Amino acid sequence: MKQFPKSLQLKLQQREQNSALRKLPLSNNLIDFSSNDYLGFAKSETIFNQTHQYLIDNNIKANGATGSRLLSGNHNLYQITEDYIANFHQSETALIFNSGYDANVGFFSSVPQRNDIILFDELCHASIRDGIQMSTAKSYKFQHNNFEELEKLLIKLNPILKTNSQTEPVEVFSNEIYLVTESVFSMDGDAPNLEELINLCEKYNCNLVIDEAHALGVYGNSGEGLLQSLGLQDKVFARIITFGKGLGCHGAAILGSNQLKNYLVNFARSFIYTTGLSPHSVATILMAYQHLKEKKETLQQLRNNIQFFNQQKLQFGLKPLFVYSKSAIQSAIIPGNEKVKTIASQLQENGFDVKPILSPTVPEGQERLRFCLHSYNSEKEITDVLQLLSTFVF
């Protein structure tokens, strides 16, 4: 075998020296506080059996899509599922991608054009940032959820823009501006003020794009996401939703206008040049959505657990460690890769699957324990894990 390049070996050694070397974990039987399976759908026998029965009932016996959706892979189940998703989310259309990563890379690499501007929250997911890097548009980040800085940036980037005494713009941008953020951030679990953000977008004529990956299945009467729960779904240019969290399966969709869907089908390379999802994968998405609409008690149990977790943080004096969050993601900041790894190991040795998030995944000094809450966690499990945490950090 050819010798491994020294430059690559050096990078691996540097990661190891910084206690930041990533390794694939083995599966375990610990109490789950690490997975994104917020509603337990990934382990649902009901969804598994309903998916199988749906395929049998509709005489669908294909193991794969057989090609790109633009060639041979666009089986009928895609249209049925996209129509269901669009109706569920009160959107003109939905376009399914193979993953959330594919959706974000496909959108941001193709939609913003040369001389357009992309403004993004500094804590946006890696898939958004990777898509932006592939774009020919100019991009600028703003401090996390800091809309004062964002507005200053908007004014600075458009010297033509003037405002009257009511601070309403009298001219619009000559090029398009795409403003992107997440409704629930994957590492902090917090949320921006979406009403304020929409007001800014309307004032400065921006196209707002919201990634709802960690809001689907968590917010709304039927788990439809944060934007829709606030009645703001018609105020955005595009919503990006993923199915690997609250729905417990795989894939993603971009919600938007018919024109946007047509554009993505023609220009999003991560959509065009990949084999489509198998009929079984698409049927699982459809069954998970139907299950989401029916199982409101599961959604309520998740919300109860989030509220209880926040109460217990206060009870054990842990609140100062945690980033403020009302979502299923709760992060305790414990600076230092080695320190946070040690505490995570202690929790795991006591039966709780809590994962450390290390730099460079998060900025140095922002290393953390990331607790993911689920509808199937018991109050005793929540109390026990936080009580243990308090003994390890104090």
Side-chain angles (χ1 to χ4, degrees):
M1 184 179 292
K2 185 172 172 60
Q3 186 176 7
F4 195 66
K6 290 182 179 179
S7 59
L8 304 186
Q9 186 60 42
L10 179 61
K11 292 184 77 171
L12 285 173
Q13 288 171 354
Q14 289 171 340
R15 279 282 172 93
E16 195 156 21
Q17 288 167 5
N18 295 330
S19 298
L21 186 67
R22 295 183 177 104
K23 295 181 180 179
L24 293 172
L26 299 174
S27 59
N28 59 61
N29 294 315
L30 303 179
I31 296 166
D32 184 7
F33 281 102
S34 70
S35 81
N36 293 324
D37 186 25
Y38 303 130
L39 301 171
F41 282 13
K43 297 182 283 287
S44 170
E45 288 187 28
T46 300
I47 294 174
F48 183 88
N49 291 332
Q50 286 176 345
T51 299
H52 178 73
Q53 195 59 50
Y54 182 91
L55 294 170
I56 295 298
D57 291 346
N58 289 276
N59 197 32
I60 301 171
K61 298 177 181 178
N63 293 319
T66 75
S68 162
R69 288 185 64 185
L70 288 168
L71 295 175
S72 59
N74 195 42
H75 43 83
N76 291 338
L77 193 47
Y78 262 119
Q79 187 63 56
I80 294 168
T81 305
E82 287 175 342
D83 287 347
Y84 189 96
I85 292 170
N87 182 65
F88 182 90
H89 287 291
Q90 298 175 15
S91 172
E92 269 189 36
T93 61
L95 181 65
I96 291 176
F97 282 71
N98 284 14
S99 70
Y101 192 95
D102 282 343
N104 276 324
V105 166
F107 182 95
F108 290 103
S109 65
S110 68
V111 174
Q113 302 296 293
R114 189 177 302 278
N115 297 324
D116 286 347
I117 291 172
I118 306 170
L119 302 178
F120 63 98
D121 189 293
E122 64 181 348
L123 296 188
C124 276
H125 191 265
S127 58
I128 294 173
R129 298 172 74 107
D130 287 355
I132 290 171
Q133 283 188 336
M134 295 168 68
S135 172
T136 57
K138 300 171 185 176
S139 62
Y140 304 86
K141 67 182 177 182
F142 58 91
Q143 290 178 5
H144 181 51
N145 287 340
N146 187 334
F147 298 156
E148 264 186 48
E149 190 204 19
L150 173 59
E151 186 163 19
K152 289 177 183 176
L153 192 56
L154 282 164
I155 294 169
K156 180 182 177 181
L157 290 172
N158 192 72
I160 304 171
L161 184 69
K162 307 294 181 186
T163 58
N164 60 24
S165 57
Q166 283 76 42
T167 68
E168 289 295 327
V170 295
E171 294 185 61
V172 296
F173 289 96
S174 54
N175 297 102
E176 297 293 336
I177 293 183
Y178 294 91
L179 203 164
V180 57
T181 190
E182 302 178 23
S183 59
V184 176
F185 282 84
S186 61
M187 286 295 117
D188 283 12
D190 59 346
N193 184 325
L194 292 173
E195 292 95 338
E196 185 180 348
L197 191 58
I198 285 168
N199 288 338
L200 265 181
C201 286
E202 290 177 347
K203 180 177 177 180
Y204 293 102
N205 195 34
C206 302
N207 300 300
L208 183 57
V209 183
I210 302 288
D211 187 317
E212 292 240 69
H214 292 275
L216 178 62
V218 180
Y219 290 92
N221 289 333
S222 298
E224 58 269 26
L226 187 55
L227 267 170
Q228 207 170 330
S229 73
L230 297 171
L232 301 173
Q233 65 273 11
D234 295 330
K235 302 287 187 178
V236 299
F237 180 75
R239 284 176 280 169
I240 296 161
I241 56 172
T242 63
F243 311 136
K245 284 82 177 174
L247 288 193
C249 47
H250 196 71
I254 295 179
L255 309 176
S257 66
N258 283 300
Q259 288 171 302
L260 177 60
K261 180 174 182 176
N262 188 41
Y263 181 87
L264 291 168
V265 167
N266 280 275
F267 294 100
R269 293 171 69 86
S270 62
F271 176 87
I272 298 166
Y273 298 108
T274 189
T275 299
L277 292 172
S278 70
H280 187 278
S281 292
V282 181
T284 304
I285 296 166
L286 180 60
M287 294 302 106
Y289 260 105
Q290 292 179 0
H291 205 64
L292 188 63
K293 205 166 186 177
E294 296 165 1
K295 295 295 180 180
K296 293 188 177 181
E297 69 278 5
T298 306
L299 275 71
Q300 188 56 52
Q301 186 58 53
L302 173 61
R303 291 169 190 147
N304 292 345
N305 284 346
I306 294 169
Q307 184 178 23
F308 185 75
F309 190 95
N310 278 313
Q311 290 169 350
Q312 293 302 104
K313 282 190 311 193
L314 191 61
Q315 182 75 24
F316 289 109
L318 293 166
K319 188 176 179 181
L321 288 182
F322 280 83
V323 178
Y324 177 81
S325 169
K326 290 187 175 181
S327 76
I329 299 167
Q330 303 281 332
S331 288
I333 306 299
I334 300 173
N337 280 348
E338 201 57 51
K339 184 176 181 181
V340 75
K341 282 171 68 176
T342 298
I343 295 175
S345 294
Q346 290 172 317
L347 291 172
Q348 291 162 15
E349 287 166 7
N350 281 273
F352 296 97
D353 191 12
V354 180
K355 294 292 195 300
I357 307 297
L358 313 175
S359 58
T361 300
V362 292
E364 192 171 341
Q366 291 291 305
E367 295 84 4
R368 65 200 55 201
L369 292 173
R370 182 174 180 262
F371 293 80
C372 291
L373 306 181
H374 313 92
S375 59
Y376 51 84
N377 289 132
S378 69
E379 289 190 354
K380 184 179 186 307
E381 289 169 350
I382 292 170
T383 300
D384 288 350
V385 75
L386 288 178
Q387 187 173 28
L388 272 173
L389 177 63
S390 68
T391 65
F392 296 146
V393 296
F394 296 137

